[in-house]
Every structure is written in C-alpha cells, then in structure tokens.
Amino acid sequence: MNDLIDDEGAAGNSPEFTVSELSGAVKRTVEGAFSHVRVRGEVGRLSLPRSGHIYLDLKDDRSVLASVVWKGVANRLTHKPEEGMEVIATGRLTTFPGQSKYQLVIDDLQPAGAGALMAMLEKRRKALAAEGLFDDARKQRLPFLPEVIGVVTSPSGAVIRDILHRLRDRFPRKVLIWPVAVQGPKCAPEVANAIRGFNALTPGGALPRPDLLIVARGGGSLEDLWGFNEEAVVRAAAESAIPLISAVGHETDTTLIDYASDYRAPTPTGAAEKAVPVRMDMLNWLRQQEGILTRGITGALTARQQRLTDLGRALPRPEALMEPARQRLDLASLRLAPALASRTKDARAQLERLSSRLDPALDRAVARKRLALGERAAGLTPARLAGVARQGRRDLDRLAARLDPQRLTARTSQMEEQLAAVRARFAQAAVQSVSRRREALDGLERLRRTLGYQETLGRGYAVIRAGEDVLTTKAQAEGHAAMEIQFADGRLGVTPTGATPKAAPKKSGKAGAKSGGGKPKPPEGGQGSLF
C-alpha cells in the first residue's frame, strides 16, 4: 500500500533549470565551441528586409544552416549573395532562444572560387539581356569629332596618362575627368554616379556637358574587375544619353558594361583612338579633296569656255542681224509723211459730210433755249433780289425771338440739378457696394485663416515635407534622406537618424581635397595636364 504513494525525496540530486537558463547554457556552449568557423555551401532561401540585414540559408545535399548577415557587414560585402550561388562563409555559430534554433552569424562572405563568380556573372548577363539592355537598337553612333570628352577612371593610374597622351597625339580635345575607384566595394556606386553625373550636366553651362564618355580601367583579375559587372553600372551605361565607350581591362577581359556600352574598346588606348580621328590624316585628306576640287573646277571652266567659243563661231555678226531691220525702218519713215497728209485730208472730208447731215430743227431748238435763258436773266433785277433778302432776314428774326434766354437758363439749371442727383445716387451705390464686398472679403479671410493649416501650426503642430511632397506617414518618411519641418515661425531642414544621404563624388588624394579647384589652367588651344 505504501508503494503506491510517491516519495517526495525520490527525485534525487538532479538540478532544475528554467527555460531561459537552459537556453543560455546551450548558447554559451555553442558559441564557445564554434566561435570562428568557415562554412562552404549553396545559398538557398534569401531574405532582404528593409532593415538592411540579410537572412539566408546555407545548404548542401543533406542539411540546411540558417545564417544572418548584419547590416554593417552587409554594406562591406564585395559580392552580394544570390540564390544558387556557392559561397564560403566565415563567422561564428550562435543560438536564437526565441525559436530554439541555432544560426551562423556571418562576418565575411566570398564566392567559392572563380567558377561560382562566372556562374553568377552568366546568370546576371542573361537576366539583363532579357530586359533588352544589350540590344543593338539601343546603341548610339559615336560623334566623329567630339568637342568635350568625359573620362571615368582613376586619376592616379597609367590609364588616364595613356588616354591623354593618345588624344594629344591624334587630335587635342577638352577632357573632363571624373575620378572614381576602379576596384573594391566603392567601384560600382562611384562609376554609376559618375556616368549619371555627366549626363546631368546642362548643355552650354559653366561646366560643359561631354559629347562622349569613356569608362576605362587597366587589366586585372576577375575579382578586380567585378565592380564593372554590377547591375548598377550596367543600368547607368544603358541609360546614358551620351554615347559611351567601355575600355575595361585588356582585350581578353570582358565585363557586363562592355555589352551595355555603345562601343567596346580593347584597351584604354584603343578607346582614345576610337574617340577622335588623326588630325594630320584629316588635313592630308582635305588637301587631297581641295586638289581634286580645284582640278574639277578648272577642267569644267575650260570645257565650257571651249564650248562657248565653238558656239560663237556659228553665230552671225551683230551688224548683219541689224541691217535688214535698219533698212525696213528707213523705208517706213519715207512713207510716213505722205500717209499722214492723206489721212488728214480724208478725215476733213468725212467731217464735212457729217455736218451737212445735221437737222435744221436742232438749230431752232438751241435758239429757243438761248432766248428763254435771256428772258429769265433779265427778270433778276436788283430790287427783286433785295426783297428776297429782306424776307429771309425777317424769318430769321422770328426764329431768334422764340429762343428766350431765361427759358434756356432755367432749363439748363434743371438739367444740372438732375445730373447732380444722379451722380449722388451713383456715388452712394458705389460706396455701399464696396462696403458689402469688403465685409464679404473679410469674412472669407477669417474663414480661410480658421480652416488653414498655419493656424494649426500656431497650436504646436508642424508640417513635414520632402521637396514639394507633404509626408503624413512613417513609411513615406523612411524613403527620404533629407526632410524639412515647417513650424509656425519658419522652416527647419533635418536628416532622419539612419538615413544615408547621397554624397557628392569624392576627389581622390589629400592634396586635391585641400586645394579645391586650384588646378592649373590648360594652355590655350591644348589639353591641360591633370598631373
């Protein structure tokens, strides 16, 4: 009967752990045994949240290892992980008590050899080609003789010296250099910003916009040239409105920017040769063309002169052409005087015949009209004219008597009083109308101030803007690196914590940063030296 009752002391000396204590003990054990490990595997599930951290799985044919790359480490990675990519991860193993699992915290991530890089490069090339970034229809023709050439390269290498030397030998042009890093993690963003920066210049501005761009770098390994395989650089080259020549590496080196550029040069020196023609060759060609043109003009003039001479021999003399006409003129002048006399005689005879045919009754009618006119003229005596004048004066006096001055004055005063009354009414109506409209306007102004946001600012609120946009949510604010807050008494520009504002391209070298724009001016008509 006693065996059926549990004995409280039967548990022995086994310690009891809380869940947190046991999880902490496991965490210390795992981190102590695997504080630094290198793991080779294939990238499986990949997650890129907005926090900047990278969550991925490393897997092989039998197991999966959860891994995480914190934001600070992710920004330093030279190769961003992609699904299916074989990598070697260096880091430490730890546990995540919240989900009772272990994971690898990665401090460095590198592709597992050149084969992995080539596989990732081919995958990226096919994806960008499917978007049409490498199509020949997108490529532009290079200008025959550009006025300004923009060069994107390192200012301290031999590449820029070779380009400037070859341009000076062939055809000196004005060159603008945008210094960038040509390898390492800064290469891709700086090269993409340089291409877009040259395209953003205003044509005809203080700093001229280049007519041609050259992106150049010397030879190197696949890892050294990897910055020119990044998607940001390829898209910037494809979007460039300025024709672009890529000259990255040696003739056997191929990067993705070569597919997106308008022309791929085998070397930086070859890019300079493609950019401008040889000045002496052009001068010689012009001299040859001038000689051909001169000989052609001379031959054409000689042939036309000979043709004109041949045609002139077949023409008759000018005197021979004029002699028949002169003779006809003399004969006509001799016949003119007798013909004029005969014509006058015939016209006089015809006039006499017509005058003899006039009706004698017409003469009698004319005589009657003349007699009646004489009688009427005789009736207009001075006495009769004086009587007519006196009658007209009397009629005029009667009309003047009807116009009484007093009556006119009274009528004028009455009209002036009516006009003054009308003016007073108009003035009173105008004052009342202006007063009503002023009161309505004041009411609308008070309503506007009451409903406007500026009155709200006076009560302790603020308006947040990014450019011309008003931000109302946190999600909208997270997408901007610089914002402006409007208070009741003015505006204040702020930068959110954790934002990464776009920086202007850095100038390489301490001396360049101290001296600013103190480079020596290039000599007139030639190319200034950077060195």
Side-chain angles (χ1 to χ4, degrees):
M1 186 68 179
N2 293 332
D3 294 336
L4 299 177
I5 301 175
D6 292 337
D7 188 2
E8 295 180 356
N13 296 325
S14 299
E16 295 179 353
F17 296 97
T18 64
V19 175
S20 297
E21 289 174 348
L22 186 59
S23 298
V26 173
K27 181 179 181 69
R28 289 190 295 273
T29 302
V30 172
E31 290 182 351
F34 302 97
S35 60
H36 181 79
V37 294
R38 298 182 76 234
V39 182
R40 184 187 185 111
E42 180 183 338
V43 177
R45 179 188 57 85
L46 182 66
S47 176
L48 301 172
R50 297 182 62 179
S51 62
H53 310 312
I54 301 176
Y55 298 95
L56 67 152
D57 290 341
L58 295 179
K59 63 180 183 179
D60 55 15
D61 55 346
R62 290 180 296 177
S63 303
V64 177
L65 175 61
S67 305
V68 59
V69 184
W70 302 125
K71 179 180 179 180
V73 177
N75 293 333
R76 297 196 304 268
L77 293 180
T78 57
H79 302 282
K80 301 298 181 182
E82 298 178 5
E83 290 191 15
M85 178 180 176
E86 188 174 1
V87 296
I88 297 177
T90 303
R92 57 187 174 85
L93 204 62
T94 184
T95 63
F96 182 48
Q99 295 183 357
S100 298
K101 71 175 185 178
Y102 64 93
Q103 62 185 8
L104 178 67
V105 179
I106 299 175
D107 296 326
D108 185 36
L109 190 68
Q110 297 292 335
L117 286 179
M118 293 302 296
M120 183 171 63
L121 179 63
E122 181 63 19
K123 178 181 178 182
R124 184 177 297 171
R125 186 191 68 80
K126 291 180 179 180
L128 295 176
E131 296 183 25
L133 299 183
F134 303 154
D135 293 346
D136 293 337
R138 298 173 58 94
K139 300 184 183 299
Q140 309 175 69
R141 295 184 59 183
L142 303 182
F144 177 71
L145 186 61
E147 290 291 334
V148 181
I149 299 175
V151 180
V152 180
T153 187
S154 172
S156 59
V159 171
I160 186 62
R161 298 179 184 272
D162 295 340
I163 292 177
L164 295 177
H165 179 71
R166 186 51 56 96
L167 291 176
R168 190 181 302 114
D169 289 345
R170 292 174 66 87
F171 206 122
R173 297 281 87 185
K174 186 173 183 178
V175 176
L176 298 179
I177 301 174
W178 195 302
V180 297
V182 293
Q183 70 181 53
K186 295 182 179 180
C187 174
E190 289 187 3
V191 172
N193 290 336
I195 296 174
R196 292 191 173 98
F198 273 131
N199 280 270
L201 293 178
T202 303
L207 188 63
R209 185 171 184 258
D211 303 313
L212 180 67
L213 295 183
I214 298 177
V215 179
R217 188 207 186 279
S221 63
L222 178 62
E223 290 80 3
D224 294 338
L225 302 179
W226 190 258
F228 298 92
N229 293 320
E230 294 293 343
E231 183 176 350
V233 175
V234 176
R235 293 189 181 278
E239 296 168 0
S240 175
I242 304 175
L244 187 143
I245 299 177
S246 65
V248 179
H250 298 304
E251 188 170 0
T252 56
D253 298 325
T254 302
T255 56
L256 294 184
I257 193 176
D258 295 334
Y259 297 100
S261 62
D262 299 303
Y263 179 80
R264 190 253 178 179
T267 60
T269 303
E273 294 175 353
K274 183 65 177 179
V276 295
V278 180
R279 185 171 182 270
M280 294 306 300
D281 291 347
M282 291 184 62
L283 292 176
N284 293 333
W285 181 82
L286 287 176
R287 293 190 186 98
Q288 294 175 1
Q289 298 301 315
E290 182 181 5
I292 294 173
L293 183 61
T294 302
R295 290 192 298 271
I297 293 176
T298 303
L301 290 176
T302 302
R304 283 166 173 75
Q305 184 176 4
Q306 182 63 37
R307 177 62 175 168
L308 184 60
T309 302
D310 296 341
L311 292 175
R313 293 194 186 99
L315 293 175
R317 294 182 300 104
E319 294 80 2
L321 294 175
M322 296 296 295
E323 286 176 356
R326 186 179 293 110
Q327 186 174 4
R328 289 195 299 271
L329 181 60
D330 293 340
L331 294 176
S333 61
L334 292 176
R335 294 197 297 267
L336 182 59
L340 182 59
S342 175
R343 179 58 182 166
T344 303
K345 183 179 179 181
D346 293 341
R348 185 177 291 110
Q350 185 178 3
L351 181 60
E352 291 176 354
R353 287 195 301 270
L354 292 175
S355 61
S356 62
R357 298 177 183 175
L358 291 177
D359 189 1
L362 183 60
D363 293 338
R364 291 192 296 271
V366 171
R368 287 195 301 271
K369 295 293 184 180
R370 188 179 289 111
L371 182 59
L373 183 60
E375 291 176 353
R376 289 187 178 183
L380 295 175
T381 60
R384 186 174 180 182
L385 291 176
V388 173
R390 286 193 298 272
Q391 182 64 33
R393 189 175 292 109
R394 285 193 298 269
D395 295 340
L396 184 61
D397 292 340
R398 284 196 301 270
L399 292 174
R402 295 178 182 177
L403 299 176
D404 187 3
Q406 295 181 355
R407 185 178 179 183
L408 290 175
T409 303
R411 180 60 176 169
T412 301
S413 300
Q414 184 182 1
M415 293 181 65
E416 289 178 353
E417 292 176 357
Q418 293 177 354
L419 181 60
V422 171
R423 288 177 178 172
R425 291 173 59 189
F426 271 114
Q428 183 179 3
V431 171
Q432 293 176 355
S433 177
V434 171
S435 178
R436 288 196 302 271
R437 284 169 170 76
R438 183 176 289 110
E439 291 177 357
L441 184 61
D442 293 341
L444 291 175
E445 176 63 17
R446 290 193 297 272
L447 181 60
R448 183 190 68 80
R449 290 182 179 178
T450 302
L451 299 179
Y453 74 96
Q454 293 182 350
E455 292 294 327
T456 307
L457 296 181
R459 297 197 293 271
Y461 293 89
V463 178
I464 302 177
R465 289 186 172 88
E468 297 298 330
D469 300 328
V470 176
L471 308 180
T472 59
T473 64
K474 178 184 177 183
Q476 293 178 348
E478 289 177 348
H480 299 277
M483 295 181 290
E484 183 181 64
I485 302 179
Q486 180 179 358
F487 299 97
D489 57 348
R491 298 188 179 186
L492 176 65
V494 297
T495 301
T497 302
T500 307
K502 294 184 179 178
K506 298 181 180 178
K507 294 184 177 291
S508 300
K510 296 182 179 179
K514 293 180 179 179
S515 60
K519 295 182 181 179
K521 296 182 179 179
E524 296 183 359
Q527 168 62 45
S529 176
L530 177 66
F531 310 97

